[in-house]
Amino acid sequence: ADMADGEVAAQPVRRTESSGDEGLHHVPLEGLKSTHRAVDKAVTVYRGDVRRLLDLCRMRIVLPDLPSLARCLRLILRDHDVLIRRVKNRLSLAYQGKETCGYRDVLVNLQVVTDEARAAGSLLHICEVQLALRSFVDHVTPDSHARFRNYCALRAVR
């Protein structure tokens, strides 16, 4: 399936081993980005433009292979309860992997547009869903992620 380049998260989920025969694995990230990390990223990466900070609320769905990832993406794109704001295809051959130190996934930024979201006053809230392949996620460690964050901070200073 063709996936467009672009960039927009869902509520964090509890860890589950599997959600049926689709082979989807939910691996929550931190759920909500900490205030300290959000301010740090807004200042160092986005030069103070907080409107560009789209991953305050995020989750990762880890999938076993590309067909499963494409199927999951199609399900999200067809969901009438969400408004897709951006799809960033970091699996594309055109994507410059040096920006993520070789890590690749598909990011979907979305807004939940249900009656419940409207009642809660959160229609403008943008969430990030990361669709990741197990083969990449298995190589991410706390140390490698810390090095990646340091790399991003250094790159932003230049």
Side-chain angles (χ1 to χ4, degrees), residues 114-138:
T114 62
D115 290 337
E116 292 86 0
R118 186 174 289 106
S122 62
L123 282 179
L124 297 178
H125 184 77
I126 297 175
C127 303
E128 178 177 281
V129 178
Q130 299 176 4
L131 306 179
L133 293 172
R134 168 66 55 202
S135 57
F136 280 95
V137 172
D138 284 348

Side-chain angles (χ1 to χ4, degrees), residues 1-55:
D2 288 332
M3 293 178 272
D5 286 332
E7 307 177 39
V8 192
Q11 295 301 316
V13 296
R14 290 191 173 26
R15 178 180 292 270
T16 60
E17 288 308 311
S18 177
S19 62
D21 58 357
E22 297 234 8
L24 303 179
H25 298 272
H26 299 271
V27 179
L29 295 168
E30 299 154 3
L32 295 176
K33 186 179 289 290
S34 73
T35 303
H36 174 77
R37 178 68 186 125
V39 170
D40 179 56
K41 186 173 183 180
V43 171
T44 61
V45 177
Y46 300 129
R47 301 193 192 280
D49 186 356
V50 295
R51 297 172 297 172
R52 297 184 60 201
L53 194 58
L54 301 178
D55 62 347

Side-chain angles (χ1 to χ4, degrees), residues 100-114:
T100 54
C101 299
Y103 184 82
R104 293 179 179 259
D105 59 12
V106 175
L107 300 181
V108 181
N109 297 110
L110 56 84
Q111 289 171 266
V112 177
V113 291
T114 62

Side-chain angles (χ1 to χ4, degrees), residues 15 30 60 136-150:
R15 178 180 292 270
E30 299 154 3
R60 178 185 297 149
F136 280 95
V137 172
D138 284 348
H139 294 286
V140 177
T141 66
D143 286 342
S144 69
H145 187 67
R147 284 191 303 274
F148 170 71
R149 284 179 38 188
N150 289 338

